[in-house]
Amino acid sequence: MDEREQILAEGLKAGKEKSLKEFYKEYFPLFVSFAGSLLESEEECKDVVHDVFLKYWDCKEDFNNLIAIRAFFYKSIRNTCLNLIRHQ
């Protein structure tokens, strides 16, 4: 992990809004695209990703690096999408 990623991860853990905005700007499109591989509706995909961002923010102190943060997002997005599919 490079220095920029480490600084971003530390900022996220500390609850810095600037770090969250940077992370959101960089990763939101990737996460929506990933959700799109499981769901058909782009709006539904965006809703799922937004929900996972909120869930992450509640437990941000639990993550020490960007790899763990991204893994949390991908796993949470996948599980949320599968739950939506199951309930439809």
Side-chain angles (χ1 to χ4, degrees):
M1 184 163 40
D2 67 17
E3 184 178 348
R4 183 185 92 48
E5 289 178 335
Q6 185 62 36
I7 292 169
L8 180 59
E10 289 170 5
L12 288 167
K13 186 173 184 167
K16 293 184 179 178
E17 193 174 318
K18 181 181 176 188
S19 297
L20 179 63
K21 286 180 180 179
E22 183 181 337
F23 182 77
Y24 184 91
K25 183 179 177 183
E26 185 172 342
Y27 287 98
F28 182 78
L30 295 171
F31 294 149
V32 171
S33 177
F34 175 69
S37 68
L38 298 166
L39 302 174
E40 293 179 15
S41 166
E42 184 176 353
E43 285 306 311
E44 211 169 30
C45 294
K46 288 179 180 179
D47 288 344
V48 165
V49 175
H50 281 291
D51 289 346
V52 174
F53 265 93
L54 293 173
K55 188 188 314 183
Y56 163 73
W57 199 245
D58 289 338
C59 63
K60 64 188 173 296
E61 297 87 12
D62 297 342
F63 302 94
N64 294 319
N65 60 57
L66 217 48
I67 294 169
I69 295 167
R70 287 190 307 243
F72 169 83
F73 270 87
Y74 282 112
K75 187 173 183 178
S76 296
I77 290 166
R78 185 195 74 214
N79 289 342
T80 303
C81 289
L82 292 177
N83 285 338
L84 282 172
I85 292 167
R86 195 174 302 127
H87 288 92
Q88 289 178 348

